[in-house]
């Protein structure tokens, strides 16, 4: 076989070589491009097809060759029957464009060519589908050419061809009828009346038989009303109108057919919308809706007919008047839609609600009539199930309502809350609810469900910023929710508008709780709401991102507090649900006085201090309605802190040249202390309040305030010191509120007492279990307890001693009872001690959880400060505290809360601090401090054990260098002068910083276990090219001077990245750059000497070295640098002296990529040798399977030997033999198994015997020994 292949290859090589084809004039290239247009037209990608059509038309315009035009026409006509849909549509579009541009092409001849090319009569059964598509897409191209109206006869033939294609519905479905409708819509009245009317007579007469024919009639009536007059309709349909009671059954059947046809497409058939428009023109809309839609379509089981009715309802909204909208939205179709909404909540059910929302949203966007908008929104809001509307409270459709409609809708919601008229709602019940009469709710429950929906809907209107509304509407809604959440009406008064609407049904407790919760949620949204209005003042406030205020600058919460104060003073008309105690009322009045005093001061000189205190007082005061006791304590602490701050300010003013300002706490420090104390509260509102207030005072935060925040996060301090602190009356003292802990301790003690009472019954066993648990935990046995136990036993003479000599003496009953009492008391006391230890551990664990949760909240303040004041110089003082948090978190326990705390701190440090968009750029006078910090960070990064923690310290050092460098302009970065280093590095002491980084790099290269990584220094080289130049020589030296192969490979990666940097090259002169390349070549040559890829590290180092070598050689050759590469080439050649680098792999591929640059190609492996080896192996294996001569069949026919095929026959014979030998070999194995079993039979083949033997053995194993013996 090999010889034959070699002779054939020789004949091919010796054969005559064809002459090279020349294309001097470029004709072949032009023809190739021209033909490629047709290939691209058939591509699946739509963009490629359209581009190819455009290029083809442009080519034909420019060439003006008739033969190319005729070829294009012929090629496009043939492609209309392509087997792929994309290709057919592409050829059809191209043909339409061709006919539209080149009017010299006759439409008549084109249509005749289409009929001839795709003849339906002569087409075979296999290709009839392609012929049908060819005719259809040809007519479609003619209709899209916009020339059919000019040739009525061709138009008539096209319509007739489409009529004949309608019978091939299994292929085209309703495409011919739709195309006829499109042609009809673009036809003039004269052509229709003279040409098409007679041709379409049969279709128009049978319009009530199919959706396509009915749609054709409706389009004709809409397009040509003067032609299809009532008399003409009388002849066609038998009635003067389409929508009549006589035609209604047929129309219903047509609509059902249309609904089933679009079952998979989920779309509204055009015939349904045309019928609805016809009913509006003929003023029979109500009859059509009741008879055709509800009585006809909705009588079917839920399915396509129902969905068509729902789609028709949504599509009809823009076409109806206000009375018609009210009629439709209060009818039975809407009731069926509500049933579908509830039944579709189950999984794996089709949900129509999103589609209906799109219909309503499109209507609201396009409608400019507020009455229509209000009618639609009310219609959907009044669709209720047991009093609860089916549309969600948060409805995006409301975003498109006009302000006047929003105001009317809010008034309706308020009235519906106070006086719900459920009888006016469109109430429905599901089939399950109708069958279960016990689940029917009473009227009060339905009212409560309706109110439960109304309050979130009112809050949604206020909270959604996309809904256009006025300030009066917002404050009225907030007052309404606040009033009904915390007050009741005694007597109506016009001074309080909320009292004028009396409640027809009292508010139950659950509804009251929901309303109060909704108010605080609304209050949170008001605090973050932008200023409403379009005036210049509003735009100015929004440009400053002022949140939570009205257009006049007054806070929303202040208006609500004033409203609450007014309600508390109107005891004659309203009554608070929770009456304030005298102390709480005094705290409320004190809060109002403090707020008014702060407002007066803010008018004289507006400061953030006044705004922060005012915001805190208002938020704590409004919370008094929800948690009066908690708010009372907070209010007292807040007032005390403010008075103390004001007193110190007055002392500072009165003292002349007295105390320094450093001894007095700044007002921001006081506010921060208050916020830290508030963060210990579990309330979400309080947490949001603290974030909002801290966000306001961030620009004024001082170093002392920031230190108080960072001290909480300091892991080196005791947990008690880092907990929540509140300033006490005594200076310098701080206390931690431990009410929760004391309550928990009391509960634990009560529980312990109960446990002790139960344990008295079986103290011995329980103590033994406790001792066992203690021993399992590794705790030492209490020696005091052992001594006490010995004393009790010795005192009762129950302990055997050496003097007794015998243990046979027993105690009497009285002594035993006394001993049992003493032991019970002792063990009970010991159990109390063990339980006390457990309680202490549990208390410490809970404290730790509370402290950790508090620190997570404090991290929110750190994150907010970094996001708002990232360019402040105070940020520099947060670097090391955050690193301490990360370092301690890495070595602490692995609980989920600890992991969350650590990940949050690491994320803030990495994303908000090191990678922040804004950073400190004003370091005047702090250069020495920052350089010392930089040295501490680098030294710490080298001493750590964990590489992941070292990465954070190294990143912090790079951040400090970035701060010292400042902003670098592009002009400075591209200069090559000696002053560029100063311009690029700003206030960085380059020598000092370089020395630190050089020591770190040397440590990484010479230490066996270093926490530093090569990626850290690569990042350094990328960000600071000046430092890269300084450290480049050290990196080059470590290509061979690294301690291990890993460090040497990392040095190659660093040098590789440095050589790729344009900034590094700009900072070095050409002579130094060339000298650097020569030095790298020498280092690489040394590293390649006597190297063997014996392990993974060496392999990795070799790959990185070869990658560097490849880039270096390529750059030297391309830039023609004066670098000697001979030594490197010789070393690389010697590496493959034994041919060890000829396999496939990353190392080998990189090596030959380098050698290719030197002109040495990878030698090809001869495949003939592999074939010989396989033949030898095959022969050796085949010899083992030869049968003896006595076993071979002697009457086997031998094939005749032909000339030239000796080798072939000789190779075929062993293969056949080997197959038989394999079979006989397997038979021999079966015989061996059979002889081992002791059974010898020659009547049956061994294989069959083995098969029949298996089930018997299994059966005998399952049965007993007796059954097996009986079988024998």
């Amino acid at each position: 076989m090999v010889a034959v292949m070699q002779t054939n290859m020789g004949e091919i090589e010796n054969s005559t070589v064809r002459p090279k084809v020349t294309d001097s004039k470029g004709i072949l290239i032009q023809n190739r491009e021209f033909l490629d247009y047709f290939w691209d037209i058939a591509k699946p990608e739509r963009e490629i097809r359209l581009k190819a059509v455009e290029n083809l038309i442009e080519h034909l315009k420019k060439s003006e060759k008739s033969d190319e035009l005729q070829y294009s026409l012929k090629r496009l006509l043939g492609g209309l029957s392509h087997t792929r849909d994309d290709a057919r549509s592409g050829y059809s579009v191209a043909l339409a464009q061709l006919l539209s541009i080149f009017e010299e092409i006759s439409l008549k001849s084109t249509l005749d060519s289409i009929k001839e090319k795709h003849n339906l009569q002569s087409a075979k059964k296999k290709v009839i589908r392609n012929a049908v598509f060819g005719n259809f897409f040809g007519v479609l191209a003619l209709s899209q050419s916009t020339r059919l109206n000019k040739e009525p006869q061709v138009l008539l033939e096209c319509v007739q061809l489409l009529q004949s294609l309608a019978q091939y519905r299994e292929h085209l479905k309703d495409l011919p009828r739709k195309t006829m409708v499109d042609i009809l819509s673009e036809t003039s009245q004269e052509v229709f009346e003279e040409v098409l009317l007679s041709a379409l007579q049969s279709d128009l007469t049978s319009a009530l038989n199919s959706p396509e024919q009915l749609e054709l009639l409706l389009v004709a009536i809409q397009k040509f009303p003067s032609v299809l007059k009532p008399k003409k309709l009388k002849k066609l349909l038998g009635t003067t109108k389409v929508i009549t009671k006589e035609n209604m059954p047929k129309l219903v059947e047509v609509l059902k057919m249309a609904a089933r046809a679009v079952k998979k497409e989920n779309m509204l058939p055009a015939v349904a919308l045309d019928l609805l428009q016809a009913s509006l023109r003929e003023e029979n809309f109500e009859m059509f809706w009741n008879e055709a839609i509800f009585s006809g379509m909705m009588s079917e089981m839920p399915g396509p007919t129902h969905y068509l009715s729902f789609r028709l309802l949504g599509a009809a909204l823009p076409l109806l008047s206000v009375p018609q909208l009210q009629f439709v939205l209060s009818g039975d179709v809407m009731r069926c839609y509500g049933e579908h909404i509830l039944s579709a909540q189950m999984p794996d059910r089709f949900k129509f609600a999103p589609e209906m929302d799109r219909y309503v949203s499109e209507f609201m966007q396009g409608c400019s009539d507020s009455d229509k908008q209000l009618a639609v929104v009310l219609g959907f809001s009044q669709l209720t199930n047991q009093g609860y509307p089916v549309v969600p409270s948060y409805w995006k459709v409301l975003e498109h309502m006009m302000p006047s409609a929003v105001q009317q809708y809010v008034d309706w919601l308020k009235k519906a809350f106070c006086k719900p008229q459920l009888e006016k709602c469109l109430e429905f019940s599901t089939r399950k609810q109708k069958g279960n009469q016990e689940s029917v709710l009473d009227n009060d429950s339905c009212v409560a469900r309706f109110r439960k929906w109304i309050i979130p809907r009112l809050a949604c209107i206020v909270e959604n910023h996309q809904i256009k509304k006025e300030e009066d509407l917002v404050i009225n809604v907030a007052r309404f929710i606040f009033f009904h959440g915390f007050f009741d009406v005694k007597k109506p008064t016009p001074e309080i508008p909320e009292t004028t609407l009396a409640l027809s049904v009292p508010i139950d407790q659950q509804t009251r709780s929901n309303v109060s919760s909704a108010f605080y949620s609304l209050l949170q949204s008001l605090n973050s709401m932008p200023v409403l209005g379009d005036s210049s003042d509003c735009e100015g406030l929004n440009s400053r991102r002022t949140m939570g205020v009205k257009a006049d600058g007054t806070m929303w919460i202040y208006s609500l507090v004033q409203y609450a104060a007014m309600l508390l003073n109107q005891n004659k008309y309203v009554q608070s649900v929770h009456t304030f105690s005298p102390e709480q009322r005094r705290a409320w009045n004190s809060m109002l006085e403090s707020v008014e005093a702060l407002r007066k001061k803010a008018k004289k000189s507006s400061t953030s201090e006044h705004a922060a205190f005012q915001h805190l007082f208002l938020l704590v005061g409004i919370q008094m309605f929800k948690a009066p006791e908690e708010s009372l304590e907070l209010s007292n602490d807040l007032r005390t802190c403010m008075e103390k701050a004001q007193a110190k300010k007055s002392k500072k003013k009165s003292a002349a040249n007295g105390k320094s300002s450093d001894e007095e706490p700044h007002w921001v420090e006081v506010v921060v202390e208050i916020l830290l104390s508030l963060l210990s509260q579990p309330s979400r509102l309080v947490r949001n309040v603290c974030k909002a207030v801290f966000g306001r005072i961030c620009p004024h935060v001082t170093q002392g305030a920031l230190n108080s925040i960072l001290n909480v996060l300091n892991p080196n301090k005791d947990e008690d010191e880092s907990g929540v602190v509140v300033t006490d009356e005594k200076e310098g003292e701080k206390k931690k509120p431990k009410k929760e802990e004391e309550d928990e301790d009391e509960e634990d003690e009560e529980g312990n007492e109960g446990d002790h009472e139960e344990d008295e019954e079986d103290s011995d066993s329980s103590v033994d279990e406790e001792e066992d648990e203690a021993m399992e935990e590794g705790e030492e046995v209490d020696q005091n307890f052992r001594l006490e136990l010995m004393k009790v036993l010795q005192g009762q003479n129950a302990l055997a001693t050496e003097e007794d000599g015998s243990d046979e003496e027993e105690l009497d009953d009285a002594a035993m009872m006394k001993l049992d009492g003493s032991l019970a008391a002792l063990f009970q006391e010991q159990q109390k001690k063990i339980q006390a230890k457990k309680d202490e551990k549990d208390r410490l664990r809970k404290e730790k959880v509370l402290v950790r949760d508090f620190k997570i909240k404090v991290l929110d303040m750190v994150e907010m400060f970094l996001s708002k004041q990232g360019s402040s110089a105070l940020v520099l003082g947060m670097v090391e505290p955050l690193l301490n948090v990360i370092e301690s978190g890495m070595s602490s326990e692995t609980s989920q809360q600890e992991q969350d705390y650590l990940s949050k701190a690491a994320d803030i440090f990495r994303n908000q601090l090191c990678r922040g968009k804004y950073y400190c750029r004003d370091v005047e006078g702090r250069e020495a401090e920052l350089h010392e910090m930089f040295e501490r960070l680098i030294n710490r990064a080298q001493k750590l054990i964990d590489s992941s923690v070292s990465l954070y310290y190294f990143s912090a050092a790079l951040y400090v260098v970035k701060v010292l460098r400042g902003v670098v302009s592009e002009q400075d970065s591209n200069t090559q002068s000696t002053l560029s280093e100063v311009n690029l590095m700003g206030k960085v002491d380059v020598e000092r910083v370089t020395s630190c980084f050089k020591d770190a790099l040397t440590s990484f290269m010479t230490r066996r276990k270093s926490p530093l990584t090569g990626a850290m220094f690569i990042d350094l080289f990328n960000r600071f090219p000046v430092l890269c130049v300084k450290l480049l020589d050290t990196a080059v030296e470590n290509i061979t001077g690294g301690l291990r192969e890993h460090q040497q490979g990392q040095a190659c990666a660093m040098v590789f990245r440095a050589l790729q940097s344009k900034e590094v090259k700009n900072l070095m002169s050409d002579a130094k750059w060339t000298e650097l390349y020569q030095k790298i070549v020498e280092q690489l040559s040394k590293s390649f000497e006597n190297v063997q890829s014996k392990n993974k590290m060496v392999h990795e180092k070799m790959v990185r070295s070869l990658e560097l070598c490849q880039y270096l050689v390529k750059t030297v050759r391309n830039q023609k640098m004066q670098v000697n590469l001979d030594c490197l080439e010789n070393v690389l050649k010697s590496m493959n002296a034994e041919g060890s680098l000829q396999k496939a792999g990353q190392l080998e591929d990189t090596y030959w990529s380098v050698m290719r640059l030197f002109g040495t190609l990878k030698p090809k492996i001869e495949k003939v040798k592999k074939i010989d080896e396989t033949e030898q192996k095959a022969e050796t294996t085949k010899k083992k399977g030869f049968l003896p001569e006595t076993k071979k069949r002697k009457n086997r026919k031998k094939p005749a030997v032909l000339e030239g095929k000796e080798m072939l026959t000789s190779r075929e014979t062993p293969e056949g033999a080997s197959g038989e030998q394999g079979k006989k070999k397997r038979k021999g194995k079966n015989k061996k198994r059979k002889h081992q079993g002791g059974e010898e039979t020659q009547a049956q083949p061994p294989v069959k015997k083995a098969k029949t033997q298996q089930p018997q053995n299994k059966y005998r194993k399952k049965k007993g020994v007796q059954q097996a013996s009986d079988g024998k």
Side-chain angles (χ1 to χ4, degrees), residues 16 31 48 123 146 213 218 306 356 503 509 581 687 855 865 951 1027 1056 1100 1114 1139 1167 1251 1272:
T16 58
N31 292 338
I48 297 178
T146 66
Q213 294 172 333
L218 294 174
H306 284 219
M356 180 62 78
L503 296 174
Q509 186 62 32
S581 64
R687 184 175 183 178
K855 289 186 177 182
F865 182 79
L951 175 61
L1027 300 178
F1056 183 31
E1100 179 187 356
K1114 188 183 297 184
K1167 297 182 180 180
K1251 288 184 178 178
K1272 291 181 180 179

Side-chain angles (χ1 to χ4, degrees), residues 37 86 210 314 530 581 605 618 705 728 736 741 763 778 931 981 991 1110 1191:
Y37 295 147
D86 298 331
S210 67
S581 64
S605 60
L618 292 172
D728 198 0
K736 179 178 179 181
E741 297 175 5
S763 59
H931 280 91
E981 181 177 309
E991 297 300 329
Q1110 181 183 4
K1191 297 293 183 181

Side-chain angles (χ1 to χ4, degrees), residues 41-44 46 49-50 53 79-80 82 84-96 137 140-141 144:
I41 288 174
K43 290 289 182 65
R46 183 172 180 272
R49 295 200 304 269
L50 296 178
V53 171
L80 294 174
H82 203 283
R84 288 190 293 107
D85 297 341
D86 298 331
R88 288 195 296 264
S89 60
Y91 283 116
S92 177
V93 172
L95 180 59
F137 279 101
L140 186 63
Q144 293 176 349

Side-chain angles (χ1 to χ4, degrees), residues 912-1173:
Q912 299 291 337
L913 183 64
C914 295
R915 299 179 185 175
K917 185 177 180 181
Y918 302 101
Y919 60 93
C920 178
R921 299 178 181 179
D922 184 15
V923 293
E924 192 68 32
R926 302 187 61 181
E927 294 86 351
E929 176 187 351
L930 290 177
H931 280 91
E932 292 176 359
M933 181 194 297
F934 165 77
E935 291 176 348
R936 289 196 302 270
L937 294 174
I938 285 293
N939 293 333
R940 184 59 181 165
Q942 300 177 57
K943 295 178 181 178
L944 292 170
I945 300 176
D946 192 351
S947 181
S948 58
V949 182
S950 179
L951 175 61
Y952 286 101
Y953 275 90
F954 199 88
S955 301
L958 295 182
Y959 170 76
V960 174
V961 176
K962 181 176 72 170
V963 171
L964 286 168
R965 181 186 62 178
V967 182
V968 180
S969 63
E970 296 182 359
Q971 181 179 2
D972 294 335
S973 61
N974 294 327
T975 57
Q976 298 184 9
S977 62
T978 56
L979 297 177
S980 61
E981 181 177 309
V982 180
N983 295 333
L984 286 174
M985 296 307 292
K987 299 180 180 180
V988 178
D989 188 348
V990 179
E991 297 300 329
R992 185 176 180 181
V993 172
T994 303
S995 176
C996 292
F997 277 125
K998 190 172 183 179
D999 295 341
L1001 181 57
T1002 304
S1003 173
F1004 168 63
M1005 291 295 175
T1006 56
R1007 286 178 58 184
R1008 179 170 290 273
K1009 293 183 179 180
S1010 175
L1012 304 178
T1013 61
M1016 299 179 186
F1017 292 97
I1018 292 176
D1019 188 21
L1020 167 64
F1021 286 8
N1022 291 335
R1023 296 173 63 179
F1024 303 104
V1026 174
L1027 300 178
C1028 176
V1029 173
K1030 300 286 186 180
L1031 299 172
L1032 196 52
D1033 291 338
T1034 306
V1036 172
E1037 293 172 359
N1038 284 285
I1039 292 177
T1040 57
L1043 179 63
R1044 294 185 301 170
E1045 288 80 4
H1046 173 70
Q1047 281 92 336
Q1048 296 174 9
Q1050 291 298 316
C1052 292
M1054 296 177 200
V1055 175
F1056 183 31
R1057 183 63 192 91
L1059 295 182
Q1060 290 178 321
S1061 175
K1062 294 181 179 179
E1063 292 81 1
V1064 174
K1065 183 178 179 181
N1066 293 335
L1067 290 171
M1068 300 179 68
S1069 61
D1070 294 340
K1072 289 185 177 180
W1073 190 248
T1074 305
E1075 182 182 354
L1076 174 65
Y1077 267 72
Q1078 188 63 52
K1079 187 175 180 181
I1080 297 173
V1081 169
E1082 296 173 359
Q1083 291 291 327
L1084 287 175
S1085 301
K1086 293 181 182 179
S1087 67
F1088 288 141
E1089 292 177 356
N1090 301 325
V1091 66
Q1092 294 180 357
S1093 182
K1094 56 184 179 180
N1095 55 30
K1096 186 178 179 181
M1097 290 297 178
V1098 178
H1099 186 276
E1100 179 187 356
K1101 174 221 172 181
M1102 291 295 297
V1103 171
R1104 294 186 182 277
S1105 301
L1106 288 171
E1107 289 175 352
L1108 173 61
C1109 185
Q1110 181 183 4
Y1111 178 81
L1112 185 141
V1113 175
K1114 188 183 297 184
T1115 306
V1116 169
R1117 294 290 174 84
N1118 293 339
Q1119 299 181 6
K1120 299 180 181 180
M1121 300 175 63
Q1122 299 297 324
V1123 178
N1124 186 10
L1125 300 175
D1126 295 340
C1127 59
L1128 183 60
E1129 182 179 0
N1130 296 332
V1131 173
L1132 289 173
K1133 286 182 179 180
S1134 64
M1135 289 175 60
N1136 192 36
E1138 300 177 358
S1140 60
L1141 294 175
Q1142 294 184 2
K1143 299 179 182 180
Q1146 183 183 9
L1147 175 62
E1148 291 77 7
D1149 294 343
T1150 310
Y1151 171 78
W1152 288 111
S1153 299
V1154 178
M1155 296 306 297
R1156 191 183 299 113
L1157 298 175
F1158 287 112
T1160 304
L1161 299 179
K1162 183 178 181 180
K1164 295 183 179 179
I1165 302 175
E1166 296 182 2
K1167 297 182 180 180
V1168 180
K1169 295 182 179 180
K1170 290 187 176 180
I1171 293 174
D1172 294 341
E1173 292 176 1

Side-chain angles (χ1 to χ4, degrees), residues 572-637:
K572 182 179 179 181
Y573 303 103
V574 296
Q575 180 182 2
S576 177
V577 176
H578 303 289
T579 305
F580 286 173
S581 64
E583 187 179 3
Q584 293 169 357
R585 190 57 187 267
R586 285 194 298 271
W588 171 264
N589 295 332
S590 176
M591 181 271 297
L592 294 177
E593 294 174 359
S594 301
V595 170
E596 293 301 327
L598 289 171
R599 285 177 60 83
K600 290 180 181 180
K601 293 180 179 179
K603 289 180 180 179
K604 296 179 181 178
S605 60
S606 180
T607 61
S608 298
E609 175 187 7
H610 298 151
F613 275 112
Q614 184 180 351
H615 201 181
L616 278 174
F617 272 116
L618 292 172
L619 283 163
V620 173
I622 203 69
Q623 200 185 8
M624 194 172 290
F625 289 93
K626 183 179 181 180
E629 295 294 337
E630 177 185 350
S631 301
L632 176 63
E633 296 180 4
L634 292 175
S635 179
N636 294 333
D637 293 338

Side-chain angles (χ1 to χ4, degrees), residues 1182 1196 1199 1205-1218:
K1182 289 171 186 174
R1196 184 171 182 178
K1205 295 190 176 181
E1206 292 84 1
M1207 295 294 294
L1208 185 61
T1209 55
S1210 65
R1211 287 177 61 83
E1212 286 179 354
T1213 303
E1215 290 178 2
S1218 64

